[in-house]
């Protein structure tokens, strides 16, 4: 195998409890032929499935119980590997080595089936093996781009029966791919130059559509804003008559006056509260002094009682002393001497001394008691004065409470009016905000309505391969038809508009199915030839399902009778030269041909031939499974 192409070795199917079914391929030419419904077309679908097809493999009776598809392939960088994938699509497992070594292997790399996956995917892996990097293909004339994937390359590797005979150009990748994209993929394959350098320019029609969409959105927003403003002022016929800005200015001036009034009234309330607090504090001081007076008077009363008791005791002592002294003036009962002749005092001198002391103490207690009474009277007078002061202050506090109550009601009324006006201001500000939004939306609507996209310069985005490369492709296809000895040595040309090849100036749909099949086969091989000559990467694998359709049985074939150009082919020996040409090319590329009829001669050594005998056949294998 050369270092710049793929080489398919073996296709296999497995399933739980099912025996492995496989099909091997030659490195050059492999021919698979035989009866209908035996699995020939299924082989092409399975190979396509392993190259990233987004569809599950179709069900057929013979495939029942099989759930896994395997492809053994040689790659330029990785060498011999095996790819495994569920027949129901999904991701891949990548094994090193052959299918036999991979069947029970666990050391596999998982590859996503999506090219956009950043964790490794089948598309990037296979493209990288051929030397393709991250390439972009322009999808339209505006330069919007899509990534080049293995599916775009597979269109030039594997051609199933339906597209083989289709009236559409062989460049058609899928029903979803546009004509511009199909042409640019062909250009990239033939030249190796992608569209990464193209600067995307929005299409005028798209710009107009986008602008129309914006207008619709702005109109909806404007309608909603108008409805919102109308709901704020129900019953108003014209919203312009509201003059919201004038209302706002007047309301702000009124609010400022209320704010000043409210500030003054709050200051007044605070001042009254401070005055009341001072009065209460003064009353509390008076009450404290009254309590001190009461306590002092109580103590003085106790002292007054003590003084009274002391005076009673002293008076009693004084009376006793006087009685004793009165007895000292009488005739002595012992000797009968008169008082003036008595020489013994009989102890009365001590009594006299005691009496004198009692009189002095009594005078002192009386004096102190008199002072105490004056102090008590002073305290009582002070207490009375303080009581009158407390009563006066209570009256003042009561009056102040009344003033505070009146001031608070006035402040609350002003605050209520201020808050009511402030609520009106908030509502007015919301309305002004909606009004400004309406004005902004009207300005935006005028701007969008006046928008006119600038015309795009003609030829600003080149599409397709161009005439030089197209003529080179046409020349390569013409060489192929001459090698196949197509009757009449046809003239092949390149239609730059459709990027298809024309035979003798005729469009593809002007030919019969068999001729269209040959045109498609020659086109795909011709693309490979141009890539080889230009040194551009190509996988070197061509899978063709029913390229020799003109050699069908017009009675048993589902494609019906032959057209005039097919009858001409049917009588010619083109089939013989077709196989000879592929055998000659088998050293530089791998061909897998799926046909109903057997080759016109015994195939030489090195060519792999599989005959599917069909359900009722007796020779060869019955079918793919």
């Amino acid at each position: 195998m050369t270092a710049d192409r793929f080489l398919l070795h073996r296709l296999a199917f497995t399933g739980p409890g099912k025996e492995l079914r496989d099909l091997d391929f030659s490195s050059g030419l492999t021919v698979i032929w035989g009866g209908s419904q035996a699995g020939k077309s299924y082989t092409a679908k399975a190979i396509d499935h392993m190259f990233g097809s987004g569809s599950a493999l179709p069900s057929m009776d013979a495939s029942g119980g099989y759930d896994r598809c395997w492809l053994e392939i040689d790659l330029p960088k990785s060498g011999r590997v095996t790819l495994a994938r569920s027949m129901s699509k999904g991701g891949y497992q990548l094994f090193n080595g052959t299918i036999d070594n991979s069947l029970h292997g666990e050391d596999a790399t998982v590859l996503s089936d999506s090219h956009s996956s950043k964790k490794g995917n089948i598309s990037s892996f296979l493209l990288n093996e051929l030397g393709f990097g991250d390439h972009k293909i322009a999808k339209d004339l505006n330069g919007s781009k899509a990534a080049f994937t293995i599916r775009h390359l597979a269109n030039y590797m594997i051609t199933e029966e339906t597209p083989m005979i289709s009236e559409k150009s062989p460049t058609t990748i899928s029903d979803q791919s546009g004509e511009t994209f199909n042409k640019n993929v062909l250009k990239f394959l033939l030249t190796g130059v992608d569209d990464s350098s193209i600067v995307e320019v929005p299409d005028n029609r798209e710009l107009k559509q986008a602008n129309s969409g914006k207008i619709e959105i702005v109109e909806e927003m404007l309608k909603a804003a108008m409805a919102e403003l109308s709901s704020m002022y129900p019953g108003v016929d014209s919203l312009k008559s509201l003059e919201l800005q004038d209302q706002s200015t007047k309301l702000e001036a009124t609010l400022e006056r209320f704010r000043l009034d409210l500030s003054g009234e709050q200051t007044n309330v605070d001042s009254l509260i401070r005055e009341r607090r001072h009065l209460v504090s003064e009353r509390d001081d008076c009450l404290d002094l009254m309590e001190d007076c009461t306590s002092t008077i109580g103590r003085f009363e106790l002292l007054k009682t003590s003084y009274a008791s002391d005076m009673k005791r002293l008076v009693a002592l004084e009376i006793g002393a006087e009685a004793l002294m009165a007895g000292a003036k009488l005739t002595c009962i012992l000797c009968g001497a008169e008082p003036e002749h008595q020489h013994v005092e009989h102890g009365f001198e001590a009594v006299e001394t005691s009496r004198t002391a009692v009189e002095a103490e009594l005078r002192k207690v009386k004096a102190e008691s008199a002072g105490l009474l004056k102090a008590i009277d002073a305290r009582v007078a002070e207490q009375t004065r303080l009581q009158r002061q407390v009563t006066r202050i209570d009256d003042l506090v009561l009056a102040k409470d009344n003033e505070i109550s009146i001031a608070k009601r006035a402040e609350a009324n002003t605050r209520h009016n201020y808050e009511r006006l402030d609520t009106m201001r908030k509502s007015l500000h919301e309305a002004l905000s909606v009004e400004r939004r309406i004005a902004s939306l009207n300005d935006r609507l005028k701007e969008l309505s006046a928008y006119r996209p600038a015309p795009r310069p003609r030829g600003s985005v080149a599409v397709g391969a161009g005439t030089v490369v197209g003529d080179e492709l046409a020349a390569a296809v013409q060489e192929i038809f001459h090698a196949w000895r197509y009757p009449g040595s046809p003239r092949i040309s390149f239609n730059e508009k459709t990027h298809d090849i024309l035979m003798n100036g005729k469009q593809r749909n002007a030919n019969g199915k068999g001729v269209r099949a040959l045109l498609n086969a020659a086109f795909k091989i011709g693309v490979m030839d141009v890539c080889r000559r230009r040194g551009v990467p190509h996988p070197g694998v061509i899978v063709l399902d029913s390229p020799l359709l003109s050699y069908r049985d017009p009675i048993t074939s589902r494609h019906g009778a032959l057209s005039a150009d097919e009858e001409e082919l049917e009588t010619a020996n083109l089939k013989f030269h077709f196989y000879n040409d592929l055998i000659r090319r088998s050293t530089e590329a791998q061909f897998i041909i799926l046909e109903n009829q057997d080759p016109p001669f015994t195939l030489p050594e090195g060519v792999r031939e599989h005959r599917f005998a069909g359900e009722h056949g007796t020779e060869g294998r019955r079918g793919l499974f």
Side-chain angles (χ1 to χ4, degrees), residues 382-448:
E382 176 67 13
Q383 191 176 41
T384 301
R385 185 189 68 78
L386 289 171
Q387 181 61 56
R388 288 197 297 270
Q389 181 73 3
V390 167
T391 301
R392 183 184 66 80
I393 292 174
D394 282 341
D395 293 338
L396 292 176
V397 169
L398 185 61
K400 197 64 66 177
D401 284 341
N402 189 47
E403 289 183 55
I404 291 173
S405 178
I406 294 170
K408 280 187 174 181
R409 285 197 297 271
E411 187 268 347
N413 185 57
T414 303
R415 183 178 299 278
H416 173 74
N417 290 329
Y418 180 86
E419 290 175 350
R420 179 176 57 82
L421 290 174
D422 188 55
T423 301
M424 292 174 59
R425 177 177 62 177
K426 290 178 180 178
S427 299
L428 187 57
H429 282 181
E430 291 177 3
L432 280 169
S433 176
V434 176
E435 189 178 60
R436 285 192 292 269
R437 196 193 324 152
I438 290 172
S440 176
L441 289 171
N442 276 320
D443 292 341
R444 181 59 175 157
L445 188 60
K446 290 178 182 178
E447 180 183 340
L448 291 172

Side-chain angles (χ1 to χ4, degrees), residues 211-404:
N211 192 66
S212 298
K214 292 177 183 178
I215 289 175
E216 290 181 9
I217 293 173
V218 171
E219 287 177 342
E220 287 295 323
M221 293 173 66
L222 185 59
K223 183 179 178 181
M226 295 289 287
E228 184 179 352
L229 189 59
S230 296
S231 67
M232 294 179 179
Y233 297 94
V236 177
D237 295 333
S238 174
L239 295 176
K240 293 182 179 179
S241 65
L242 293 173
E243 298 181 348
L244 297 178
Q245 190 58 54
D246 291 343
Q247 289 187 47
S248 177
T249 302
K250 293 176 182 178
L251 186 58
E252 289 292 345
T254 304
L255 274 168
E256 180 61 22
R257 290 196 300 272
F258 270 94
R259 188 188 65 79
L260 293 174
D261 291 345
L262 183 62
S263 177
E265 290 173 354
Q266 183 62 55
T267 300
N268 182 43
V269 170
D270 293 341
S271 177
L272 291 173
I273 290 174
R274 283 196 299 272
E275 291 174 6
R276 183 187 184 280
R277 189 180 300 118
H278 177 73
L279 289 171
V280 171
S281 177
E282 184 180 353
R283 183 182 63 185
D284 290 343
D285 290 342
C286 289
L287 291 173
D288 289 341
L289 290 173
M290 286 178 63
E291 186 176 353
D292 288 343
C293 286
T294 301
S295 178
T296 301
I297 290 171
R299 290 196 299 273
F300 282 180
E301 288 293 338
L302 289 174
L303 185 58
K304 177 182 174 183
T305 302
S306 178
Y307 279 168
S309 176
D310 288 346
M311 284 191 292
K312 286 181 181 181
R313 179 178 56 80
L314 290 172
V315 169
L317 289 174
E318 184 181 21
I319 293 173
E322 287 179 353
L324 288 173
M325 289 305 297
K329 301 300 183 180
L330 298 177
T331 300
C332 180
I333 60 175
L334 296 175
C335 66
E338 295 294 328
E340 65 268 15
H341 298 292
Q342 295 176 7
H343 301 287
V344 181
E345 296 181 356
H346 302 293
F348 290 111
E349 66 278 7
V351 172
E352 180 62 23
T353 301
S354 175
R355 187 185 67 79
T356 302
V358 167
E359 287 179 351
E361 181 67 21
L362 184 59
R363 286 193 300 272
K364 177 183 175 184
V365 170
K366 286 182 178 179
E368 289 180 353
S369 179
L372 179 61
L373 290 175
K374 289 181 180 179
I376 290 173
D377 290 341
R379 285 298 180 184
V380 170
E382 176 67 13
Q383 191 176 41
T384 301
R385 185 189 68 78
L386 289 171
Q387 181 61 56
R388 288 197 297 270
Q389 181 73 3
V390 167
T391 301
R392 183 184 66 80
I393 292 174
D394 282 341
D395 293 338
L396 292 176
V397 169
L398 185 61
K400 197 64 66 177
D401 284 341
N402 189 47
E403 289 183 55
I404 291 173

